[in-house]
Amino acid sequence: MKRIAALILLASLSANAFAFDPFVVSDIRIDGLSRISAGTVYNYLPINKGDRLTSDEAQQAIRALYQTKFFSDVEFDREGDILVIKVVERPSIAKLTLRGNKDIKTDDLKKGLKEIGLTEGETFDRLALDNVQQELIRQYYNRGKYNVSVDPHVTRLDRNRVAVEIEIREGKAAKIKELNILGNHAFTDKQIRDGFESDTSNFMSWYSKDDQYSREKLSGDLEKLQSYYMDRGYADFGVDSTQVAIAPDKRAMYIDASIKEGEIYKVADVKLLGELILPEKTMRQLVFVKEGETFNRGAIEESTKAIKAVLANIGYAYAKVTPVPKLDKQKRTVDLTMYVEPGQRVYVRRVVFEGNTRTEDTVLRREMRQLEGSWYSQAALDRSKIRLQKLGYFKKVDIDKKLVPGTQDKVDVSVKVEEQSAGSMQFGVGYSQYSGVILNASVSQNNLFGTGDSFSISGERSSYQTNLGVNYYNPYLTDSGIGIGYSASYSKTDYGNTDFANYATSAKSFSTYLGIPVSETDGVRIGMGVSSNKVNLFAGYSPQILVDYQNQIGNKTIHSWTGTLGWNHDTRNGYWAPTRGGLISATTDIALPGSTVQYWKLTTEANHYWPIGKGFVLYLDGQVGYGKTYGGNGISDNAFAALKAASLAGNPNHVLTDMRQDFPFWQNLYAGGVRDVRGFQDNTLGPRVCIDGSAPGSNGTCNGGAYYSQPIGGAFKVLGTAQVYLPLPFLKDVNTARVSWFMDVGNVYKNYQTFNAADLRASTGLSLQWQAPIGPLIISFAMPFRSSAADRHYEERIQFTFGSQF
């Protein structure tokens, strides 16, 4: 067939190249061009004016023009000594349309088509279209879709153009009806198939799609099968054969894999050869396979990685470690030799940043732990990547190295980043029967003008509350990483028309603080501030216990000089969606001597992320808050005795207790809400009181059910959260969205002495965190499963918050 095709082509070329005597070309004329310029043809034509043209050279020229794929027909003619080239242009592709593709995205398909020349504006080649058809069918076969059909349609248009439409009918993926492993005796089918991505249909297949056949998945599963056996000593394990059969209707797959388990081998000897660089004793500590132990390929691979990592950290960026096991089948032992080739030690010549169109190079460079001019260190690069990711400015960070041309001991490090929105303009709207419409707005920029500084201004307004705040932070006041921040706020609250503790506050505050790095993972925060808070209580509406406290203090306006000391230990591997590491923090706020009320408040938190396999991530978090007063708080014993006598004279049934050492109620800790114990309204858990000071009923009501008791918070808080982040197939990018199942447990108590685990509240549910186009969105659906009748009034099933980013 190939010979016939070649003869036909030669005959065609011979027909198009007329028979003539050789002549000298005085000029060249091209007829038939409409879209392609004559200059383009001249560039590909191996003939020039003044050349002597023979029949062989004419045929070579025709072949050259055909190879451009610009023309469907080429003919040479002669008018005197003028060479006349008559061409018929191939049509151009005016429109390329894909229909019916769901499994493969249109953008991905068009990108692949462009690489082979099938794209809008290019010359249409029927042969390329046929190749595309076969390639698409092959790709769908690899996805287990054997019922796929790919039908290209070409429509002729005016001006020598065509419209190409590729219609795809994907069909349904063939499902695995049988998956048999033959020859296994040491382990059950369930044991060896536990980590397989392929499986027969089961109750979770709708989610995992594990019953859909894929050649790539099967290959990966057979590799896992080999690793399973070799990690347990079966050094001569092998897959003898694999048979895949498809049903006539192309909807069912039958898979048989025949294996040879072999025998269990022990490690007889472990040798380290080559140029070790470090002392052999040190290197052997990196080998996790010991003499006398069962052979384990996984441990050998980890040993290889460990040795390469240590060498890479001291400059040997291209070190090679080759493990060579030698099997003695009679003794069933393995002699393991690990050859170490460190290669040339290299240092970093330059660190180059790419993709940071808004962020200054300085902001990235100050996070780099790999310095120019120093020995290459993989550990330093890994730490640099984590620090860049935790800035929150970049969606993606990739670090690569490349040898400097002409050298063996110098590399350039390329840091490629993909920037994401570091600023946000958030607008929130909510509603509840207690506070009515809640409006909040904020403008923030975590990377101000690309300098790495952060600035925000925010406001919130509801029927009972108004908040305004301004914050600024410079993380690099000094080159050593000491940062400085400033914060100013104003808040006004009036709970008079709600079920919360009825009082009003009007507070103004200003503070400044320093962030001091102690190590790569630890930092200290020191701050000072001043605040003024006017607290108004309403006779007959505010709980008597709050009125008594304010009377004992003797001031409605509370002035405070505050000091802050905080510490945090942060090992998380990301900013938005970490998957490993954790955060431990502790912060103490102290109202210093000279304040109207002297107190201190400690808040601590510890959390951690663990990847637990197959894309699942476990997150645990615990928080404890505690507050206490110190000093006399502005009233003497004699003054208190006089105040008590006056109280008894006004109301003989009211006994004034000494609460001068109680924690100030306007600084109380609260629990409940979308970022706390979900399923309960914000700040509604914990102690509740009646207006007259009496204890509320079991259902939380007062005065025979006339009204609800009022939440007032407390000085001791406990909160625990367990979450499992789920690898949903439609949420591939966890940096954009993630869904978790959670369980929250917590409550607030008057003080530490009143803590009772039986009073803890708990809820469970699902939560969605999404970096949506309108901004960060958090939606939670929670079901309280540990509560009391008094909590029913404050339960919420769906809670959300959202904003918009720029």
Side-chain angles (χ1 to χ4, degrees):
M1 291 298 294
K2 291 183 178 179
R3 292 184 61 187
I4 295 174
L7 291 173
I8 293 174
L9 175 61
L10 288 174
S12 175
L13 293 175
S14 299
N16 289 337
F18 57 91
F20 63 87
D21 294 329
F23 72 100
V24 176
V25 177
S26 63
D27 198 4
I28 301 175
R29 190 179 81 231
I30 305 173
D31 295 340
L33 296 178
S34 61
R35 181 173 53 85
I36 300 170
S37 67
T40 300
V41 179
Y42 290 139
N43 287 335
Y44 290 99
L45 188 66
I47 301 172
N48 296 307
K49 294 179 182 180
D51 291 348
R52 186 172 182 274
L53 184 63
T54 65
S55 294
D56 291 340
E57 291 170 342
Q59 291 178 5
Q60 292 175 7
I62 290 174
R63 290 192 186 96
L65 294 181
Y66 269 118
Q67 288 173 357
T68 65
K69 298 184 179 180
F70 295 153
F71 311 110
S72 60
D73 189 30
V74 180
E75 182 179 345
F76 278 19
D77 203 350
R78 174 180 178 181
E79 293 182 4
D81 291 336
I82 299 174
L83 175 61
V84 180
I85 303 175
K86 300 177 182 179
V87 297
V88 177
E89 292 182 350
R90 293 181 185 270
S92 64
I93 301 174
K95 187 177 182 181
L96 176 62
T97 306
L98 295 164
R99 300 187 187 279
N101 56 299
K102 296 178 181 178
D103 197 42
I104 305 178
K105 294 181 179 179
T106 298
D107 291 342
D108 294 337
L109 284 176
K110 285 192 172 183
K111 183 178 179 181
L113 297 179
K114 185 176 181 180
E115 292 176 355
I116 59 176
L118 195 66
T119 186
E120 294 179 0
E122 295 293 330
T123 302
F124 173 69
D125 183 355
R126 183 72 204 195
L127 180 60
L129 184 60
D130 293 340
N131 292 336
V132 165
Q133 182 181 15
Q134 297 304 316
E135 175 62 19
L136 288 178
I137 292 175
R138 186 189 68 81
Q139 289 189 30
Y140 278 102
Y141 277 8
N142 288 341
R143 288 168 167 79
K145 295 191 173 183
Y146 292 94
N147 282 318
V148 66
S149 65
V150 179
D151 298 319
H153 304 282
V154 180
T155 304
R156 291 281 177 176
L157 304 176
D158 58 350
R159 293 177 293 163
N160 198 25
R161 299 178 304 154
V162 295
V164 178
E165 179 181 349
I166 301 177
E167 185 177 0
I168 302 172
R169 296 182 181 87
E170 293 183 338
K172 293 185 178 180
K175 293 188 177 182
I176 301 172
K177 293 299 181 183
E178 291 184 9
L179 176 56
N180 302 313
I181 307 297
L182 309 176
N184 58 303
H185 304 289
F187 305 102
T188 65
D189 286 359
K190 186 177 187 305
Q191 288 175 312
I192 61 180
R193 287 171 50 183
D194 184 55
F196 277 23
E197 292 186 39
S198 303
D199 200 358
T200 54
S201 298
N202 53 77
F203 75 99
M204 284 297 293
S205 294
W206 65 270
Y207 165 72
S208 62
K209 309 297 183 185
D210 55 358
D211 62 342
Q212 293 185 2
Y213 171 75
S214 166
R215 186 180 302 171
E216 286 80 2
K217 284 201 302 184
L218 180 60
S219 298
D221 291 337
L222 294 178
E223 177 61 30
K224 290 178 182 177
L225 180 62
Q226 185 177 30
S227 296
Y228 184 90
Y229 273 91
M230 287 195 166
D231 290 349
R232 289 160 177 78
Y234 294 86
D236 57 351
F237 171 86
V239 179
D240 288 341
S241 63
T242 305
Q243 295 182 348
V244 180
I246 186 170
D249 62 359
K250 298 182 179 181
R251 296 288 301 277
M253 305 295 295
Y254 301 87
I255 303 172
D256 292 329
S258 178
I259 65 174
K260 179 183 178 182
E261 290 183 328
E263 303 291 339
I264 296 179
Y265 284 72
K266 298 285 187 177
V267 177
D269 189 23
V270 179
K271 295 179 181 179
L272 284 171
L273 299 180
E275 189 177 355
L276 303 185
I277 301 297
L278 298 175
E280 183 174 347
K281 182 179 179 181
T282 301
M283 298 292 279
R284 281 194 174 275
Q285 293 177 354
L286 304 173
V287 180
F288 309 126
V289 181
K290 308 299 180 184
E291 297 177 5
E293 294 181 348
T294 302
F295 177 83
N296 188 321
R297 189 177 74 170
I300 295 174
E301 292 175 351
E302 291 301 316
S303 303
T304 300
K305 293 178 183 177
I307 294 173
K308 291 172 65 176
V310 168
L311 294 177
N313 291 341
I314 57 175
Y316 296 92
Y318 298 97
K320 295 181 180 179
V321 180
T322 306
V324 180
K326 183 179 180 181
L327 275 61
D328 187 330
K329 296 189 175 183
Q330 291 184 346
K331 298 180 179 179
R332 296 177 186 172
T333 60
V334 178
D335 291 335
L336 177 64
T337 303
M338 303 191 76
Y339 292 93
V340 180
E341 302 174 72
Q344 182 71 41
R345 192 180 189 188
V346 299
Y347 66 90
V348 175
R349 184 185 69 164
R350 289 189 304 170
V351 177
V352 181
F353 301 101
E354 302 177 34
N356 53 314
T357 57
R358 295 191 300 268
T359 308
E360 297 176 359
D361 277 11
T362 305
V363 175
L364 283 78
R365 194 171 296 278
R366 66 195 185 192
E367 302 299 332
M368 295 296 297
R369 294 302 178 256
Q370 172 67 69
L371 304 179
E372 294 179 342
S374 63
W375 292 117
Y376 175 92
S377 171
Q378 186 61 51
L381 287 178
D382 292 342
R383 183 60 194 169
S384 301
K385 182 176 181 178
I386 290 175
R387 291 182 66 91
L388 289 171
Q389 289 174 331
K390 289 171 67 174
L391 288 175
Y393 311 156
F394 310 114
K395 184 178 181 181
K396 189 176 182 181
V397 178
D398 290 318
I399 299 181
D400 197 10
K401 63 181 183 294
K402 184 180 295 185
L403 275 172
V404 176
T407 70
Q408 294 296 322
D409 63 347
K410 299 177 185 177
V411 294
D412 287 338
V413 172
S414 172
V415 181
K416 296 181 180 179
V417 299
E418 182 181 343
E419 290 187 314
Q420 65 181 3
S421 173
S424 66
M425 184 179 297
Q426 297 186 354
F427 298 94
V429 180
Y431 178 81
S432 75
Q433 64 189 53
Y434 312 104
S435 55
V437 176
I438 305 172
L439 302 175
N440 63 71
S442 69
V443 177
S444 67
Q445 177 56 259
N446 293 331
N447 188 13
L448 188 63
F449 306 124
T451 63
D453 295 358
S454 62
F455 172 82
S456 68
I457 180 170
S458 60
E460 182 179 271
R461 183 76 174 95
S462 69
S463 62
Y464 65 87
Q465 190 171 48
T466 300
N467 291 319
L468 296 173
V470 179
N471 294 277
Y472 170 79
Y473 184 65
N474 175 3
Y476 277 84
L477 177 66
T478 67
D479 292 339
S480 61
I482 296 178
I484 188 169
Y486 306 94
S487 178
S489 66
Y490 169 78
S491 64
K492 184 177 181 180
T493 60
D494 183 356
Y495 297 109
N497 296 319
T498 71
D499 288 329
F500 302 108
N502 288 328
Y503 64 91
T505 65
S506 178
K508 300 178 286 292
S509 67
F510 174 81
S511 63
T512 182
Y513 52 92
L514 293 175
I516 305 173
V518 178
S519 69
E520 281 295 310
T521 58
D522 294 78
V524 172
R525 175 169 165 158
I526 301 174
M528 293 290 294
V530 59
S531 66
S532 174
N533 185 9
K534 185 176 181 180
V535 181
N536 290 319
L537 299 171
F538 312 112
Y541 293 95
S542 299
Q544 187 62 41
I545 189 173
L546 306 187
V547 175
D548 290 345
Y549 188 92
Q550 187 178 68
N551 289 337
Q552 291 182 37
I553 298 302
N555 291 283
K556 288 188 175 182
T557 301
I558 312 300
H559 298 286
S560 298
W561 297 90
T562 57
T564 299
L565 178 62
W567 165 80
N568 70 81
H569 174 74
D570 191 351
T571 59
R572 294 173 297 178
N573 67 340
Y575 174 75
W576 163 253
T579 56
R580 64 177 66 247
L583 172 68
I584 303 174
S585 65
T587 302
T588 301
D589 295 304
I590 305 174
L592 301 171
S595 302
T596 304
V597 179
Q598 300 169 34
Y599 65 89
W600 57 268
K601 182 162 61 175
L602 173 67
T603 55
T604 63
E605 180 177 8
N607 59 53
H608 203 88
Y609 295 85
W610 291 273
I612 54 178
K614 297 185 178 181
F616 291 88
V617 177
L618 173 65
Y619 170 72
L620 298 179
D621 177 80
Q623 299 178 36
V624 174
Y626 183 53
K628 192 174 179 61
T629 58
Y630 69 96
N633 287 323
I635 185 170
S636 66
D637 291 340
N638 291 336
F640 172 71
L643 183 63
K644 182 175 181 180
S647 177
L648 289 172
N651 182 3
N653 297 321
H654 174 58
V655 178
L656 180 65
T657 58
D658 189 351
M659 298 185 298
R660 287 174 292 167
Q661 299 302 319
D662 284 354
F663 193 68
F665 63 84
W666 58 89
Q667 288 291 337
N668 272 348
L669 301 166
Y670 289 88
V674 68
R675 299 181 184 274
D676 205 285
V677 183
R678 286 161 281 196
F680 300 92
Q681 290 183 33
D682 291 354
N683 306 332
T684 58
L685 294 180
R688 303 186 183 105
V689 297
C690 295
I691 295 173
D692 58 4
S694 62
S698 60
N699 62 353
T701 61
C702 300
N703 195 18
Y707 57 91
Y708 281 91
S709 55
Q710 300 180 9
I712 60 171
F716 183 65
K717 176 181 178 179
V718 177
L719 174 65
T721 295
Q723 291 193 152
V724 176
Y725 291 98
L726 311 175
L728 299 182
F730 53 85
L731 295 178
K732 298 291 186 182
D733 185 2
V734 297
N735 289 311
T736 301
R738 61 196 329 199
V739 170
S740 66
W741 167 80
F742 66 84
M743 184 171 66
D744 296 335
V745 179
N747 210 337
V748 169
Y749 302 83
K750 179 181 178 181
N751 49 46
Y752 174 75
Q753 288 74 20
T754 61
F755 171 76
N756 187 348
D759 294 330
L760 289 172
R761 301 294 184 254
S763 64
T764 187
L766 295 175
S767 179
L768 167 66
Q769 303 171 28
W770 181 26
Q771 287 280 51
I774 63 171
L777 172 66
I778 301 176
I779 302 176
S780 296
F781 176 79
M783 292 288 293
F785 65 88
R786 185 186 176 98
S787 61
S788 68
D791 299 320
R792 302 290 188 266
H793 185 64
Y794 301 101
E795 291 182 1
E796 282 185 338
R797 294 292 184 269
I798 299 178
Q799 298 169 314
F800 71 93
T801 179
F802 69 90
S804 64
Q805 292 193 336
F806 61 88

